[in-house]
Amino acid sequence: MPSYTPPIKDAQFILHDVLKITQAQVPGYADLDPDFTGAILQEAGKISAEVLAPLNVVGDVEGCTLENGVVRTPTGFKAAFDQIREGGWPGLDMPEQYGGQNMPYVDGTAVGEMFSGSNQAFTMYHGLTHGAASAILAHGTDAQKDKYLPKMIACDWTGTMNLTEPHCGTDLGMMRTKAEPQDDGSYKVSGQKIFISSGEHDMSDNIIHLVLARIPGGPDGIKGVSLFIVPKFLINEDGSLGARNGVTCGMIEEKMGIHGNSTCVMDYNEATGYLLGAENKGMRAMFTMMNEARIGVGMQGLSQADAAYQNAVIYAKDRLQGRAVTGVENPDGPADPLIVHPDIRRSLMDQKSFTEGARALLLWGASMIDASHRADDDDAEGLVSLLTPVIKGFLTDEGYDMTVQAQQVFGGAGYIEESGMSQYTRDARIAMIYEGANGVQALDLVGRKLAQDGGKHVMAFFAMVKDFGKDNKGANEAFDRDFLEPLKTASKDLQAAGMYFMANGMKNPNHALAGSSDFMHLFGHVCLGLMWARMAKAAQDALDGGASDVAFYETKIATGRYYMARRLPATGMHLARIQSGADTVMALAADQF
Amino acid sequence: MPSYTPPIKDAQFILHDVLKITQAQVPGYADLDPDFTGAILQEAGKISAEVLAPLNVVGDVEGCTLENGVVRTPTGFKAAFDQIREGGWPGLDMPEQYGGQNMPYVDGTAVGEMFSGSNQAFTMYHGLTHGAASAILAHGTDAQKDKYLPKMIACDWTGTMNLTEPHCGTDLGMMRTKAEPQDDGSYKVSGQKIFISSGEHDMSDNIIHLVLARIPGGPDGIKGVSLFIVPKFLINEDGSLGARNGVTCGMIEEKMGIHGNSTCVMDYNEATGYLLGAENKGMRAMFTMMNEARIGVGMQGLSQADAAYQNAVIYAKDRLQGRAVTGVENPDGPADPLIVHPDIRRSLMDQKSFTEGARALLLWGASMIDASHRADDDDAEGLVSLLTPVIKGFLTDEGYDMTVQAQQVFGGAGYIEESGMSQYTRDARIAMIYEGANGVQALDLVGRKLAQDGGKHVMAFFAMVKDFGKDNKGANEAFDRDFLEPLKTASKDLQAAGMYFMANGMKNPNHALAGSSDFMHLFGHVCLGLMWARMAKAAQDALDGGASDVAFYETKIATGRYYMARRLPATGMHLARIQSGADTVMALAADQF
């Protein structure tokens, strides 16, 4: 069975050596010294490794079952959920007023990666509750907040998001679910929603569904969509649970992975709902949480890649097969371990340099969310908004590829479910799809985010890369050659791609959109290049400062060097694809396919 | 449920317009005129689309079951196998002497792609029988051939290949299964083999296992391995079936995909076996079929990609979501079909340009196998031997990626098993692993094939690319610009990579091997670039010659243009990775991972 080792030291390195969070001018950050974050990560790591990880395979094998309207989660899930609840984890970064611990989001993200890495399907139950609670926090009335948040933040009640219908996923303007106003101010919600993660289960007393629906007579399309709170059990005046509401789980989907999470078809039949936020502003309410939700999915891509990588390393050190081409390394054994072989190394280094770079990008993004929410930093908000589709799309595409590479290290055993490696691949696959498929992320990036506020944020990104180069050039020749030069080249490729869009996208937007996925990946590589340059700089500073853990910091620099030499050259390819424009992409009529 | 349309027209185009097989000086090719191959492909296509494709999902859902030593295949498999058998398909390219039809391998390959594309797990039952029969054909005594081949070629008896043991996959020198010589000239074979595809099932009267094992007292390592024929039921003098032999299926593996094929743990307990070929020359006997077997697996990568692509196209035309950015295209509908969106196009073009280019490479490779076997063409044998790891590794890596892309077109529905798209991904995954994991293919390419016969074959490949450019330059400006120039650039990248290996691999072989996977992909892209240039040329010739199906040929050229502009620039990235050498790849000690 696969194991999971929480990446505590790595997260600490990023939080403290790279981001230096205690020095950031963000309310709450001053408290986050290494001892404090270390203690939290230790605790979260413990529960991840000891409680959640062993249930990962159980969830995959057993899945969820629906019988007489009741959904049963896999063996052990409910007990583990109780532990998560009792530990107060779901409320880590929620307001104290509603029972949370008011810690910054960056802390919640570092913890979230461990939960997700040890058991993605399980973590979605409280992850989605967090998202639903955030929506109520942002858009609810005081009465709604008082009514729902304490229970949801405690995870006594869980939450869901209901967007998709059978005929509309990305294009929510076609939504049909309707909400009829009632005399008492409530609504009767009717319609069918599909792909509802954690839609029904046996781990909480109540489930609070957030449902997008149309109020009859409203505007057509996306502008006539409102958001509703629809509890599974109605709530009495005294806060106790009342009658069962008109919402049922019609079926559980058979999926490629995340079997431990119940993906439900939800049928609403005159269910009582309560408007959340303003009428016809449902999409705005949903979009408030979009950055966080999408960053959370990017995190899943990273977390599955890291979990798979860890097990690939164990296997590569353990499995004896063949001899090193440069001479026997394990003379007492019948063969050398896999890890001596250059192509296995190449694969492990691909994985390692991705996951560590991705973790830095993720936590940097999370710190900008904090700066935006806690310090009203508009620049941080603009930049993280720009980077959100990159974090979601690039980290899940690449994260998936890394799970495939990790599985490949196992050879035939990787294809057998017993090794657990197939599950990482199958689970990671969903992250490329939900919360906006990655093609939609690319469209959001190129079609909206790039030009937002007059292109101010992408300019700020380029300035940041340039300043980093200027500030750090000349101190260390190897650093200049191995990090600053490749970063500069990659950043120039990204700028050239942006220039191409500007020059050609005006006359034909297809010239921009045909290169959108390539641009997202190009941007992602530049981000990871920047992260690696920053990490290498921090590691070098630590070494220069006489840090005791020399091996750790040297490993960081060597891993970064790999990324810059071996992964970053992808930017040139993406640029060439982008610059080839839309003509070859759009050449065929539909019937020529 | 997914559908499957056999690519008859495309295969015909490659066989006749591109490869012009009837003009090739290969015995048997003169008969393969378009009417003849068309008739065969029509028949094979019919059985693929109507019989095998509908069973694909059945096989995935039901899988195989083992009870009291008996393995049951999914509902409908046996009846379909009877149809395949009655149609004489397994013997298509086998000698008439043993009941085959003696057709060229290129024809069998075109047919095989359809069988595999419609149902990979099913097709493995007769595919492996074909492989085992080929081994007996190449290495058996006349008596062995007479005894086994007629039954195996008819698929009354099926065959298996037994190589892997729990502790050794790639490194077969560590094998422990032993074969004790008996007084009557037979052997008693004992040991455990794992990952045995079609190892036990209910579709044939007998199963002929080919088993690698050690004769005690022989040399250590790979040089002490011999190949044995071990029938499930012993065969009486009169050809009737006798006693059950000492070989049983211990368990069926739970796998990520190809559930319809029984992947067995096979236990040999003093099973009676008969030496096939010479003592201690078992690996040589296995390697005889290696090129064909590996090309067959490359075919699986292509075939799953094509099947997935076909369904992605259907969905993209049917599913209404969003509006074209350049203006509404479906004004009467609530939204435009997915296929209007540039990033969906990009994805479909990636898939289409891959599958069609890959099919050309596959059939070209198969035609070289024919030239080698039927016309003793040593140059063809050398070239196909060089290209075999490329066909296996590149076509399965890329083929898998294409199934992932096809699944992505479906959005959320792609993750739900009901759509059938997950199965293509899960089934395609195995092809990257078996018959030598793709890292081993890359090693074979760079470590062995490149330098084979003094590098003669890779030089021949470069000369072929160069000659094609010289012969076709200047006739058509667009062709020069869109095809010859990019092909030249890509081929130069490949040559530069080869030069890098020569210059650096001598002093440290890791410099070559650390770039082996990149080299395999770089080579694959150049091969597909050459294939597309040849296909575009053939299509242009047809248009210039007044061919009636203008749309077909124009589509070919447009698809080729996409490949050259959008896919071929990957060669620069692979070259950069290769030229970065082994230093960053091998920098870490094992405990730094």
Side-chain angles (χ1 to χ4, degrees):
Chain A
M1 200 173 70
S3 67
Y4 181 74
T5 304
I8 296 170
K9 198 167 182 178
D10 259 31
Q12 288 280 72
F13 167 70
I14 294 164
L15 293 175
H16 301 292
D17 289 12
V18 183
L19 300 176
K20 298 183 199 304
I21 53 171
T22 56
Q23 296 167 37
Q25 299 304 312
V26 174
Y29 270 35
D31 301 337
L32 299 179
D33 62 44
D35 285 350
F36 185 75
T37 58
I40 291 172
L41 294 177
Q42 283 291 350
E43 274 308 303
K46 199 170 142 71
I47 201 167
S48 297
E50 295 174 10
V51 179
L52 305 189
L55 292 176
N56 198 38
V57 170
V58 176
D60 187 54
V61 171
E62 290 188 15
C64 297
T65 52
L66 170 66
E67 209 177 330
N68 300 324
V70 176
V71 172
R72 284 186 213 294
T73 51
T75 307
F77 269 44
K78 184 159 171 31
F81 202 69
D82 287 341
Q83 271 189 268
I84 289 285
R85 184 162 28 214
E86 283 153 20
W89 295 107
L92 195 73
D93 55 2
M94 284 294 191
E96 285 178 315
Q97 182 184 358
Y98 302 110
Q101 300 181 51
N102 200 32
M103 280 184 213
Y105 179 69
V106 74
D107 223 33
T109 302
V111 165
E113 190 214 319
M114 295 176 188
F115 290 161
S116 176
S118 56
N119 197 326
Q120 179 176 333
F122 176 90
T123 300
M124 290 169 67
Y125 289 100
H126 53 100
L128 282 157
T129 305
H130 190 282
S134 298
I136 294 175
L137 190 62
H139 300 282
T141 63
D142 285 343
Q144 286 174 329
K145 291 183 201 174
D146 290 340
K147 190 172 194 173
Y148 298 106
L149 290 181
K151 289 288 193 182
M152 291 178 78
I153 286 170
C155 268
D156 292 334
W157 302 348
T158 57
T160 72
M161 308 294 226
N162 292 241
L163 288 79
T164 306
E165 298 180 7
H167 63 291
C168 67
T170 298
D171 191 352
L172 291 168
M174 295 195 288
M175 188 175 294
R176 290 178 197 147
T177 298
K178 64 176 183 202
E180 299 271 5
Q182 306 297 304
D183 291 344
D184 66 353
S186 71
Y187 294 77
K188 292 282 181 212
V189 177
S190 298
Q192 190 179 62
K193 295 287 182 178
I194 62 169
F195 303 159
I196 308 309
S197 299
S198 321
E200 179 61 63
H201 59 84
D202 55 2
M203 303 201 295
S204 64
D205 300 333
N206 202 1
I207 301 177
I208 309 303
H209 302 289
L210 298 193
V211 184
L212 285 177
R214 271 180 201 297
I215 300 169
D220 285 344
I222 203 74
K223 290 178 179 167
V225 167
S226 307
L227 187 58
F228 297 88
I229 299 174
V230 183
K232 174 178 166 184
F233 289 101
L234 295 172
I235 296 141
N236 298 323
E237 280 303 311
D238 64 357
S240 64
L241 297 184
R244 180 75 192 245
N245 204 353
V247 46
T248 50
C249 169
M251 78 179 266
I252 301 183
E253 303 282 3
E254 295 288 338
K255 309 184 298 290
M256 184 176 181
I258 53 166
H259 295 151
N261 195 275
S262 55
T263 304
C264 301
V265 173
M266 298 302 296
D267 295 313
Y268 292 86
N269 186 10
E270 300 203 338
T272 299
Y274 309 97
L275 188 67
L276 178 61
E279 267 189 24
N280 301 326
K281 302 289 183 197
M283 288 310 293
R284 205 174 61 181
M286 275 284 173
F287 267 94
T288 315
M289 306 157 294
M290 201 64 95
N291 284 348
E292 286 167 62
R294 290 183 168 176
I295 288 173
V297 175
M299 178 183 79
Q300 294 179 337
L302 151 64
S303 71
Q304 294 306 299
D306 187 42
Y309 161 73
Q310 292 183 19
N311 287 283
V313 168
I314 294 168
Y315 192 80
K317 288 180 183 175
D318 183 60
R319 174 83 171 172
L320 304 180
Q321 211 78 177
R323 291 293 186 186
V325 68
T326 46
V328 172
E329 296 205 7
N330 177 33
D332 299 334
D336 289 339
L338 282 180
I339 202 165
V340 305
H341 301 303
D343 191 59
I344 294 287
R345 287 284 180 140
R346 189 241 351 122
S347 172
L348 294 176
M349 290 301 292
D350 277 359
Q351 298 167 53
K352 180 175 173 64
S353 65
F354 165 75
T355 58
E356 295 179 18
R359 183 174 295 119
L361 178 59
L362 175 76
L363 293 177
W364 180 42
S367 75
M368 288 191 278
I369 296 265
D370 280 328
S372 133
H373 288 182
R374 292 176 169 246
D376 291 323
D377 181 338
D378 290 343
D379 291 340
E381 184 174 356
L383 187 52
V384 75
S385 174
L386 171 71
L387 294 182
T388 292
V390 178
I391 293 174
K392 197 279 182 181
F394 182 70
L395 262 51
T396 60
D397 276 354
E398 291 272 310
Y400 177 75
D401 285 348
M402 295 305 154
T403 63
V404 174
Q405 287 216 35
Q407 186 186 20
Q408 188 74 12
V409 170
F410 280 68
Y415 198 66
I416 306 298
E417 293 292 354
E418 193 188 355
S419 71
M421 298 308 289
S422 154
Q423 187 187 353
Y424 292 123
T425 303
R426 291 183 290 97
D427 285 1
R429 183 69 186 85
I430 187 58
M432 296 159 72
I433 298 173
Y434 60 19
E435 278 298 332
N438 286 355
V440 175
Q441 302 300 324
L443 178 64
D444 178 48
L445 175 65
V446 170
R448 282 190 348 123
K449 298 294 178 64
L450 215 46
Q452 214 164 43
D453 299 324
K456 181 178 153 189
H457 308 299
V458 72
M459 291 303 160
F461 179 82
F462 288 132
M464 183 179 288
V465 173
K466 201 170 173 183
D467 289 348
F468 181 84
K470 226 169 9 185
D471 294 349
N472 294 290
K473 202 177 158 77
N476 180 324
E477 203 180 314
F479 183 75
D480 291 359
R481 180 196 61 220
D482 296 341
F483 290 91
L484 295 185
E485 284 304 317
L487 178 59
K488 193 172 166 182
T489 304
S491 180
K492 276 188 176 168
D493 285 344
L494 185 63
Q495 291 182 58
M499 292 296 289
Y500 178 84
F501 290 158
M502 278 206 280
N504 298 279
M506 289 296 210
K507 49 184 193 230
N508 180 357
N510 284 344
H511 281 307
L513 299 183
S516 57
S517 277
D518 280 296
F519 189 80
M520 183 175 77
H521 281 259
L522 171 42
F523 209 152
H525 278 296
V526 176
C527 285
L528 258 58
L530 176 63
M531 291 300 104
W532 270 117
R534 289 180 64 176
M535 286 196 281
K537 173 70 173 55
Q540 190 61 54
D541 285 351
L543 289 171
D544 293 347
S548 60
D549 198 350
V550 174
F552 176 83
Y553 292 111
E554 285 183 343
T555 303
K556 278 281 168 245
I557 295 171
T559 307
R561 231 179 243 138
Y562 179 90
Y563 195 90
M564 305 311 274
R566 283 254 165 184
R567 303 291 297 167
L568 213 47
T571 60
M573 176 188 70
H574 291 299
L575 176 60
R577 286 181 184 164
I578 288 165
Q579 288 178 333
S580 75
D583 293 344
T584 61
V585 178
M586 307 302 288
L588 301 187
D591 63 7
Q592 287 178 287
F593 281 91
Chain B
M1 200 172 72
S3 66
Y4 181 73
T5 304
I8 295 170
K9 198 166 182 178
D10 259 31
Q12 288 279 73
F13 168 70
I14 295 164
L15 292 175
H16 301 292
D17 289 12
V18 182
L19 300 176
K20 299 183 198 304
I21 52 170
T22 55
Q23 295 167 36
Q25 299 306 311
V26 175
Y29 270 34
D31 301 335
L32 299 179
D33 65 44
D35 285 349
F36 184 75
T37 58
I40 291 172
L41 294 176
Q42 283 291 350
E43 274 308 303
K46 198 170 142 68
I47 201 167
S48 296
E50 294 174 12
V51 179
L52 305 189
L55 291 176
N56 198 37
V57 171
V58 176
D60 188 53
V61 171
E62 290 188 16
C64 297
T65 52
L66 170 67
E67 210 177 329
N68 299 327
V70 176
V71 172
R72 284 187 213 293
T73 52
T75 307
F77 268 43
K78 185 162 171 31
F81 201 69
D82 287 342
Q83 270 189 269
I84 289 285
R85 187 164 23 214
E86 283 153 20
W89 294 107
L92 196 72
D93 55 4
M94 284 294 191
E96 285 178 315
Q97 183 183 359
Y98 302 110
Q101 299 179 52
N102 200 32
M103 280 184 211
Y105 179 68
V106 74
D107 222 33
T109 303
V111 165
E113 189 214 320
M114 296 177 189
F115 290 160
S116 176
S118 57
N119 197 327
Q120 178 176 333
F122 175 91
T123 300
M124 290 168 67
Y125 290 101
H126 53 100
L128 282 158
T129 305
H130 190 282
S134 297
I136 294 174
L137 190 62
H139 300 283
T141 62
D142 286 343
Q144 286 174 331
K145 292 185 201 174
D146 290 340
K147 188 172 194 172
Y148 298 105
L149 290 181
K151 290 288 192 181
M152 291 177 77
I153 285 170
C155 267
D156 292 334
W157 302 349
T158 57
T160 71
M161 308 293 226
N162 292 242
L163 288 79
T164 306
E165 298 181 9
H167 63 290
C168 69
T170 298
D171 190 351
L172 291 168
M174 294 195 289
M175 186 176 295
R176 291 180 196 145
T177 297
K178 63 177 184 200
E180 300 270 4
Q182 305 298 303
D183 291 343
D184 66 355
S186 71
Y187 293 77
K188 291 283 180 212
V189 177
S190 298
Q192 189 180 63
K193 295 287 181 177
I194 62 170
F195 305 160
I196 308 310
S197 299
S198 320
E200 178 62 63
H201 59 84
D202 55 2
M203 303 202 295
S204 64
D205 301 333
N206 201 1
I207 301 178
I208 308 304
H209 302 288
L210 298 193
V211 185
L212 284 177
R214 270 181 200 295
I215 300 170
D220 285 342
I222 203 73
K223 291 181 177 164
V225 167
S226 307
L227 186 58
F228 298 88
I229 298 173
V230 183
K232 174 179 167 184
F233 290 101
L234 296 172
I235 297 141
N236 298 322
E237 280 304 309
D238 64 357
S240 63
L241 297 184
R244 180 77 192 245
N245 203 352
V247 47
T248 50
C249 170
M251 79 179 265
I252 300 183
E253 304 282 3
E254 294 289 337
K255 309 184 297 290
M256 184 177 182
I258 52 165
H259 295 152
N261 195 274
S262 55
T263 305
C264 301
V265 173
M266 298 302 296
D267 295 313
Y268 292 86
N269 186 9
E270 301 203 336
T272 299
Y274 310 96
L275 187 67
L276 177 61
E279 267 188 25
N280 301 326
K281 302 289 182 197
M283 288 311 292
R284 204 174 63 182
M286 275 285 171
F287 267 94
T288 314
M289 306 156 294
M290 201 64 93
N291 285 347
E292 285 168 65
R294 290 182 169 178
I295 287 173
V297 175
M299 177 182 79
Q300 293 178 339
L302 150 66
S303 72
Q304 294 306 298
D306 187 43
Y309 161 73
Q310 292 183 19
N311 287 283
V313 168
I314 293 168
Y315 192 79
K317 288 181 184 175
D318 183 60
R319 174 81 172 173
L320 304 180
Q321 212 76 179
R323 291 293 186 186
V325 68
T326 47
V328 171
E329 296 205 7
N330 177 33
D332 298 335
D336 290 339
L338 282 180
I339 202 165
V340 305
H341 301 301
D343 191 59
I344 295 287
R345 288 282 180 140
R346 190 243 349 124
S347 173
L348 294 177
M349 291 301 291
D350 277 358
Q351 296 168 53
K352 181 175 172 64
S353 65
F354 166 74
T355 57
E356 295 178 17
R359 183 174 295 118
L361 178 60
L362 176 76
L363 293 178
W364 180 42
S367 75
M368 287 190 279
I369 297 263
D370 280 328
S372 134
H373 288 182
R374 291 173 170 249
D376 292 323
D377 181 337
D378 290 342
D379 291 340
E381 184 174 355
L383 187 52
V384 76
S385 173
L386 170 71
L387 294 182
T388 293
V390 178
I391 292 174
K392 197 280 183 182
F394 182 70
L395 262 51
T396 59
D397 276 354
E398 291 273 310
Y400 177 74
D401 284 349
M402 295 306 155
T403 63
V404 174
Q405 288 216 36
Q407 184 185 21
Q408 189 73 13
V409 170
F410 280 67
Y415 199 66
I416 307 298
E417 292 293 355
E418 193 187 355
S419 70
M421 299 307 288
S422 153
Q423 187 187 351
Y424 292 123
T425 303
R426 292 184 289 98
D427 285 1
R429 184 69 185 86
I430 187 58
M432 295 159 73
I433 299 172
Y434 60 19
E435 278 299 333
N438 285 356
V440 175
Q441 302 300 325
L443 178 64
D444 178 47
L445 175 65
V446 171
R448 283 188 349 123
K449 298 293 176 64
L450 214 47
Q452 214 164 43
D453 299 323
K456 180 178 156 188
H457 308 298
V458 73
M459 291 303 159
F461 179 83
F462 287 131
M464 183 179 288
V465 173
K466 201 170 171 183
D467 289 348
F468 180 84
K470 223 167 14 183
D471 294 347
N472 293 290
K473 201 176 159 73
N476 180 322
E477 202 180 313
F479 183 75
D480 290 359
R481 182 194 61 221
D482 297 341
F483 289 91
L484 295 185
E485 283 304 318
L487 177 59
K488 192 172 167 184
T489 304
S491 179
K492 277 187 176 169
D493 285 345
L494 185 63
Q495 291 181 57
M499 292 296 288
Y500 178 85
F501 290 158
M502 277 206 280
N504 298 279
M506 289 297 209
K507 48 185 191 227
N508 181 357
N510 285 343
H511 282 307
L513 300 183
S516 57
S517 277
D518 281 295
F519 189 80
M520 183 174 76
H521 281 258
L522 171 41
F523 209 152
H525 278 295
V526 175
C527 284
L528 258 59
L530 175 63
M531 291 300 104
W532 270 117
R534 289 180 64 177
M535 286 195 282
K537 173 71 172 55
Q540 190 60 54
D541 286 350
L543 289 171
D544 294 346
S548 59
D549 197 350
V550 173
F552 176 82
Y553 292 111
E554 285 182 344
T555 304
K556 277 281 168 244
I557 294 171
T559 307
R561 232 179 242 137
Y562 179 90
Y563 195 89
M564 306 311 274
R566 283 255 166 184
R567 303 290 299 166
L568 213 47
T571 60
M573 176 188 70
H574 290 300
L575 176 61
R577 287 181 182 164
I578 288 164
Q579 288 178 333
S580 75
D583 294 344
T584 62
V585 177
M586 306 302 287
L588 300 186
D591 62 8
Q592 286 178 286
F593 281 90

